[in-house]
Amino acid sequence: MSWSKPTDRTQGHDQTTIQEYGDGPTVSSRSLAARGRRRLTHLILIAALVLGCATALYVFRLGSIRSAAQTEMAGQLRIFVQIDDYVDSVQDAERIQRESLLNNDEKHLLRYDAACRNVKTQLAAMQKLAEQGEIYRSESARLTQLTESALAELDNCMNVRSNQGYAAALALLRQTRAQQLVADIESQAGKIRGQEQQEFDAAAREAEWAANLRNRVFAAGLLINVLFFWAAYRFVATELDKKQTATRDMAILQSVAVRCTKADFNMDDCLREVLIAARTLTNATKGTIRTLDENGEMHIVAHEGFDKKFLDEMQRLTKTTGQLCAVHLENDQHAGVENVRTSEALRGTPWVDLLLNAGVESFVAVPLASSSGCLLGLIAICFPHPGRPTDTQMRFLDLLARETADYLERKEIEKELMKAHAQLGNRAVHLEELVKERTTRLQEMIDDLEAFSYSLVHDMRGPLRAMQTFSEVLKEDCRQLGPIAQDYVHRIQVASQRIDHLIRDGLFYSRFMREDMPLCPLQPKELLLGIVETYPNFANVQKSINICGDFPIVQANEAALTQCFSHLLDNAIKFVAPGTTPSITVWSELHNNRARIYFHDNGVGIKREAYDKIFKIFQKLDREHRGTGIGLAIVKKAVERMGGSVGVTSDSEGSIFWLDLLRADTTADQPRAISNLQPTEAL
Amino acid sequence: MNQSQQFILYAEDEASDVFFLERALRRAGVPQRLVVVSSGQAAIDYLKQITKDGRDFKTLPALVLLDINMPGISGFEVLQWIRDTPGLQSLTTVMFSSSEHPSDVRAAYALGANGYLVKPCTIDEAATMVKQFKDQWLKHDAVPTTPASIPK
């Protein structure tokens, strides 16, 4: 099997002949055919029904005719019997009359009377038949007349016998007038009977005719209906079969489609599935899938039923003689050869032998054209016998090809996407490394800077200490200094003290900023009392600091908390209006499951807009009051590092600073002593 | 214990600190002589000299005060050398520094310092401090009178 390149005009003859069948029928004509078949089936069924009804009606009608004829015949038979009875009665009467003439006794006379009555009765029956129209009235009237004449003759003779004697009667009898009359009656009855016989024969003929016709009509109707039903059955069976095949084919298509969408299914497996499906749909034995590369060349990407030798040979032939009929594929048309042996397109080419050796007698190819209109390759399937797939099979092949093309296109896009992803990923990794590297460098720089600033600040304290101490020594040892000199020395001392505080606070701040801060359970009240009692700053104001109530045990760092407390207390003392005795109240409450410690002072207060500002480093609100501007920044930093928070509310009568701290008795590592003590106390 | 014959060895590169300590010792009435060396190396050399001459154990200093930040060998290194040197392990050695940094304090005790003193900023503080270490290490402190057996 081979295909020509669309550009390869030298293979033009191949292109034209391979199009032995081009496009499959259009969808509309296909559906029209199917609709026609369905309509025909309906028509046949309706016709069969109508014919059946008509036959049944006609057969019924014929039956009625026959039965009417038979009834008529039965009537005729009764008339025959009646006529016979009548003639018999007349003959009896005549015979008995003769016997009575001979004997003329009472007994015979009675018999004669009975016979006469019988004749009259029979005559009445005959007259009744005439009245009913069963026999002609004229005939009946004549019969009546004859009968009355005969009876009269008989009576006359009897009267003669009674009155004139046997001889006279015998003479009368010898005239045979009565016998003549009886004979007339017989002939008249025979005439009537003849007429009736004719009627009987006609009815019998009609009945026979009706019976024959009925049988024939019934047989013919039955035959035609059987034919109709058989035809309808064939149509329906064919449709059902087609539908079943279509359902199976759809299932195959669907399963292929579903498998192709699975991400973990690789492309080779997927294309093999497609090929197997194509073979199953068309009952083909062999097949290949080929795709176009960027240069427009076909490559086999999947094959079924061919050995390697054939494939190699095919590849070689494709290279040397070019491909066949790809132009039709470009135009989204089917292409194929119905018989390799007789194909004009292949005649004289090496393809014939190659294909026949591989057992390929016919083949068909459908283009792999995606929904977006890209031609990606083809699916070719081969048959071991001449011929072509049915329209339905071609339709399914088209669907399969469309699905496969879409799949291939999707895969291509996925590949591109993966590439882009990978590129992005590489870039992200690179960026991450860069960030890591720079972060490390920055951290190193920060560490260096911190170490530098720490040692700088630390080393500043040496000379400062010397300044402080020497000024003190100067003051002590050189008592002859004048008051002005003393004042200068004092100023030096004060200034250097301030620098010292600044440096110490700065060191604390940087420590709380950088260092690990291990937390342990602490009793804040003990800490506060310790600070108030031992710190020289608070020696003069111990009585103004009022620590009231119980304090919950908090989870904190002792050094940091000490700094916080001492700074808050120090501020409370420092920032009071001139002439005011400082007064500080410290207490604690539970607040949102935290321990909140309040420091209420009677200081100058803080303006609302400055609440945030005061916790920032080097922010001083008041030039009159001494301070480094670091104290509250240390408090804030230290409290935050311990998982707490700090805040302030203030008015003209003073400020309330509060610290929120973690509670020790709600955390896992609370001191064992507390939890063990409680049950003991309860006892 | 013959206090008058004992001395305090002070390693310090800052002259003013030496001045203040001398003054504070004098004013506190500490009888021990103050021997000052100006670097870590000098302190080690000095101690080596004492032990090399095989002098009596009593000739060792009653107290060694070490500044931390000194040019060359730091106070910590001197402390480590003392604790590693046979015969000197029990020498009362106290770090005397302006640093209050916890890492310095931790390092000092980890290396076996007997104490850690922060350099005072005022004369009052200095007096308090000197009184403290006079009471702790110079007046009531019992020290071995014979050298500990020296492992070979």
Side-chain angles (χ1 to χ4, degrees):
Chain A
M1 182 164 44
S2 64
W3 308 96
S4 69
K5 281 188 199 169
T7 50
D8 194 351
R9 292 293 161 201
T10 57
Q11 299 290 323
H13 65 285
D14 287 337
Q15 291 167 11
T16 50
T17 42
I18 294 297
Q19 201 184 15
E20 282 168 19
Y21 49 99
D23 270 337
T26 59
V27 174
S28 58
S29 72
R30 282 197 293 258
S31 66
L32 271 181
R35 210 176 301 159
R37 271 196 301 278
R38 267 202 301 281
R39 191 169 289 169
L40 190 61
T41 311
H42 287 157
L43 278 176
I44 288 171
L45 282 172
I46 290 166
L49 202 67
V50 168
L51 187 70
C53 289
T55 311
L57 275 174
Y58 195 54
V59 165
F60 176 74
R61 171 93 189 104
L62 287 174
S64 310
I65 291 169
R66 180 165 178 267
S67 123
Q70 278 171 340
T71 313
E72 171 86 11
M73 281 161 74
Q76 295 298 333
L77 283 177
R78 275 202 308 280
I79 291 168
F80 289 155
V81 170
Q82 181 61 49
I83 291 170
D84 286 346
D85 284 353
Y86 168 70
V87 172
D88 283 352
S89 73
V90 172
Q91 284 169 344
D92 278 355
E94 195 261 344
R95 184 172 47 82
I96 290 167
Q97 184 244 10
R98 270 187 285 173
E99 282 170 14
S100 301
L101 287 181
L102 278 176
N103 299 320
N104 199 28
D105 54 6
E106 194 65 18
K107 184 185 151 199
H108 283 90
L109 282 176
L110 282 172
R111 276 187 61 194
Y112 170 72
D113 282 345
C116 285
R117 276 200 303 279
N118 188 28
V119 169
K120 279 172 186 162
T121 308
Q122 293 299 337
L123 181 68
M126 289 299 285
Q127 280 168 339
K128 198 178 173 189
L129 282 176
E131 275 169 24
Q132 284 171 352
E134 296 288 345
I135 50 175
Y136 296 114
R137 266 169 206 248
S138 55
E139 305 295 345
S140 169
R142 170 114 179 94
L143 200 66
T144 307
Q145 190 190 347
L146 282 173
T147 307
E148 278 169 359
S149 302
L151 283 178
E153 185 58 35
L154 288 179
D155 278 351
N156 183 37
C157 204
M158 284 302 279
N159 287 335
V160 170
R161 170 73 171 88
S162 305
N163 300 332
Q164 297 170 17
Y166 179 73
L170 193 62
L172 203 60
L173 197 65
R174 281 203 182 126
Q175 288 175 358
T176 66
R177 280 179 57 190
Q179 280 149 332
Q180 195 64 48
L181 280 169
V182 168
D184 285 351
I185 286 169
E186 278 173 6
S187 100
Q188 182 62 31
K191 189 180 170 190
I192 293 170
R193 195 191 161 98
Q195 285 171 349
E196 291 307 311
Q197 186 68 45
Q198 273 176 359
E199 278 185 25
F200 178 84
D201 288 349
R205 272 199 304 279
E206 192 175 278
E208 196 184 344
W209 166 81
N212 283 342
L213 191 62
R214 186 190 62 181
N215 290 347
R216 270 184 226 131
V217 166
F218 181 75
L222 195 67
L223 189 70
I224 292 171
N225 259 357
V226 163
L227 277 172
F228 275 1
F229 278 114
W230 178 78
Y233 165 77
R234 279 306 304 265
F235 274 126
V236 170
T238 315
E239 282 297 303
L240 274 180
D241 197 42
K242 273 182 191 161
K243 206 164 260 179
Q244 247 174 11
T245 316
T247 310
R248 185 205 64 176
D249 293 351
M250 279 313 289
I252 290 172
L253 282 179
Q254 263 172 9
S255 98
V256 169
V258 166
R259 278 190 225 191
C260 286
T261 50
K262 278 188 186 161
D264 54 343
F265 214 57
N266 74 42
M267 198 166 93
D268 287 349
D269 287 344
C270 197
L271 289 177
R272 191 159 303 121
E273 287 281 335
V274 167
L275 200 51
I276 290 169
R279 275 177 52 192
T280 315
L281 291 172
T282 53
N283 301 321
T285 51
K286 296 173 165 49
T288 57
I289 295 181
R290 273 167 277 171
T291 53
L292 280 166
D293 64 8
E294 299 85 22
N295 306 323
E297 281 179 29
M298 289 274 189
H299 295 278
I300 298 170
V301 289
H303 58 87
E304 279 286 320
F306 289 115
D307 55 11
K308 194 176 177 303
K309 200 179 142 203
F310 174 86
L311 294 169
D312 290 346
E313 185 64 13
M314 191 168 95
Q315 204 75 20
R316 192 183 67 77
L317 275 181
T318 305
K319 277 203 182 107
T320 52
T321 66
Q323 305 205 2
L324 292 167
C325 67
V327 69
H328 305 304
L329 301 179
E330 285 251 300
N331 297 335
D332 199 7
Q333 289 178 329
H334 306 141
V337 164
E338 281 185 53
N339 192 338
V340 172
R341 287 171 203 276
T342 59
S343 166
E344 287 294 326
L346 300 175
R347 183 164 296 159
T349 64
W351 290 106
V352 178
D353 287 342
L354 181 67
L355 290 169
L356 290 176
N357 284 339
V360 175
E361 296 278 346
S362 64
F363 61 85
V364 64
V366 286
L368 285 173
S370 70
S371 304
S372 60
C374 286
L375 179 69
L376 302 167
L378 59 89
I379 301 177
I381 48 168
C382 307
F383 304 90
H385 48 74
R388 54 180 294 185
T390 63
D391 290 345
T392 315
Q393 286 172 339
M394 287 309 288
R395 206 155 69 235
F396 276 112
L397 271 183
D398 281 345
L399 281 173
L400 186 66
R402 170 60 52 88
E403 230 170 61
T404 311
D406 285 349
Y407 165 74
L408 286 171
E409 201 174 54
R410 209 166 55 234
K411 276 280 161 185
E412 197 62 36
I413 290 167
E414 270 172 27
K415 221 155 74 184
E416 295 290 322
L417 214 66
M418 296 266 276
K419 228 193 262 173
H421 264 296
Q423 274 174 2
L424 262 180
N426 286 340
R427 215 160 282 178
V429 167
H430 179 67
L431 263 178
E432 217 164 275
E433 278 168 3
L434 206 67
V435 165
K436 226 183 257 174
E437 193 188 305
R438 287 189 183 168
T439 308
T440 313
R441 258 165 48 196
L442 271 176
Q443 192 58 53
E444 278 169 6
M445 266 170 71
I446 289 170
D447 288 348
D448 286 353
L449 267 174
E450 277 178 350
F452 169 74
S453 65
Y454 183 79
S455 53
L456 183 72
V457 169
H458 174 260
D459 288 353
M460 275 162 68
R461 293 191 72 197
L464 183 66
R465 204 168 43 244
M467 279 164 64
Q468 272 180 293
T469 325
F470 272 116
S471 54
E472 239 180 304
V473 169
L474 185 67
K475 228 168 148 186
E476 264 188 34
D477 291 4
C478 309
R479 302 209 179 267
Q480 69 274 28
L481 286 176
I484 294 175
Q486 289 274 353
D487 182 46
Y488 289 166
V489 172
H490 178 70
R491 281 171 189 256
I492 293 170
Q493 269 184 305
V494 170
S496 55
Q497 231 167 38
R498 278 188 62 191
I499 299 179
D500 192 43
H501 280 145
L502 197 62
I503 289 171
R504 277 154 83 100
D505 285 352
L507 285 172
F508 271 122
Y509 185 78
S510 79
R511 248 178 72 188
F512 290 142
M513 217 162 61
R514 296 188 301 155
E515 282 198 341
D516 284 342
M517 208 167 273
L519 305 182
C520 61
L522 290 173
Q523 173 50 258
K525 193 166 187 176
E526 284 171 17
L527 207 61
L528 278 163
L529 289 170
I531 290 167
V532 172
E533 278 164 20
T534 56
Y535 274 44
N537 291 8
F538 307 130
N540 301 328
V541 287
Q542 272 190 28
K543 284 186 184 130
S544 322
I545 301 172
N546 186 16
I547 299 164
C548 36
D550 293 329
F551 286 69
I553 293 177
V554 297
Q555 192 75 11
N557 179 279
E558 189 169 352
L561 199 57
T562 306
Q563 282 292 320
C564 295
F565 286 168
S566 60
H567 276 294
L568 287 173
L569 290 172
D570 203 35
N571 282 351
I573 293 163
K574 221 184 277 173
F575 297 108
V576 285
T580 309
T581 313
S583 162
I584 304 154
T585 312
V586 185
W587 76 98
S588 175
E589 282 172 14
L590 286 183
H591 191 268
N592 289 338
N593 211 24
R594 300 280 180 99
R596 179 168 279 197
I597 299 170
Y598 294 94
F599 294 79
H600 190 186
D601 61 41
N602 59 343
V604 292
I606 298 154
K607 282 181 187 137
R608 177 169 284 274
E609 55 270 25
Y611 283 0
D612 287 335
K613 210 175 159 193
I614 54 170
F615 291 106
K616 289 185 176 143
I617 194 162
F618 298 129
Q619 293 288 342
K620 283 187 277 186
L621 299 180
D622 191 350
R623 286 192 64 84
E624 284 175 34
H625 296 279
R626 294 177 54 193
T628 58
I630 306 179
L632 284 175
I634 290 177
V635 172
K636 185 175 160 71
K637 186 59 72 179
V639 167
E640 280 172 358
R641 290 294 308 274
M642 292 187 288
S645 53
V646 61
V648 64
T649 52
S650 183
D651 55 30
S652 58
E653 309 208 335
S655 313
I656 301 175
F657 282 86
W658 50 261
L659 299 180
D660 269 354
L661 296 167
L662 296 174
R663 286 175 62 198
D665 45 1
T666 55
T667 56
D669 51 348
Q670 68 186 82
R672 183 170 288 179
I674 292 173
S675 57
N676 284 349
L677 270 175
Q678 282 169 344
T680 327
E681 284 173 354
L683 283 169
Chain B
M1 193 188 300
N2 188 351
Q3 289 176 349
S4 60
Q5 287 184 357
Q6 288 190 327
F7 62 95
I8 295 167
L9 179 64
Y10 180 30
E12 175 62 75
D13 60 326
E14 189 68 49
S16 56
D17 282 344
V18 175
F19 172 79
F20 293 130
L21 188 68
E22 269 180 336
R23 192 171 180 277
L25 287 172
R26 197 169 59 242
R27 289 175 68 119
V30 172
Q32 279 85 357
R33 195 159 48 90
L34 186 68
V35 176
V36 177
V37 287
S38 61
S39 70
Q41 190 57 53
I44 289 169
D45 290 348
Y46 187 84
L47 288 169
K48 266 185 185 167
Q49 191 61 40
I50 293 172
T51 45
K52 190 181 159 196
D53 291 356
R55 285 192 226 170
D56 190 80
F57 189 66
K58 282 178 184 167
T59 60
L60 286 175
L63 177 67
V64 180
L65 290 173
L66 296 172
D67 184 25
I68 292 174
N69 284 322
M70 286 185 289
I73 292 173
S74 76
F76 286 136
E77 284 165 295
V78 178
L79 174 62
Q80 191 159 20
W81 179 82
I82 289 171
R83 291 294 173 244
D84 288 346
T85 308
L88 295 178
Q89 278 109 338
S90 58
L91 202 57
T92 306
T93 312
V94 173
M95 303 313 289
F96 187 58
S97 167
S98 57
S99 167
E100 288 172 75
H101 203 275
S103 68
D104 287 343
V105 180
R106 272 200 300 274
Y109 282 107
L111 289 169
N114 294 77
Y116 190 101
L117 297 170
V118 179
K119 283 177 183 167
C121 291
T122 63
I123 289 176
D124 286 348
E125 275 176 42
T128 317
M129 188 200 74
V130 168
K131 191 174 175 302
Q132 242 174 6
F133 79 70
K134 178 186 158 196
D135 291 346
Q136 192 175 350
W137 289 301
L138 302 176
K139 204 189 265 178
H140 307 301
D141 200 28
V143 291
T145 47
T146 51
S149 61
I150 299 165
K152 291 182 179 171

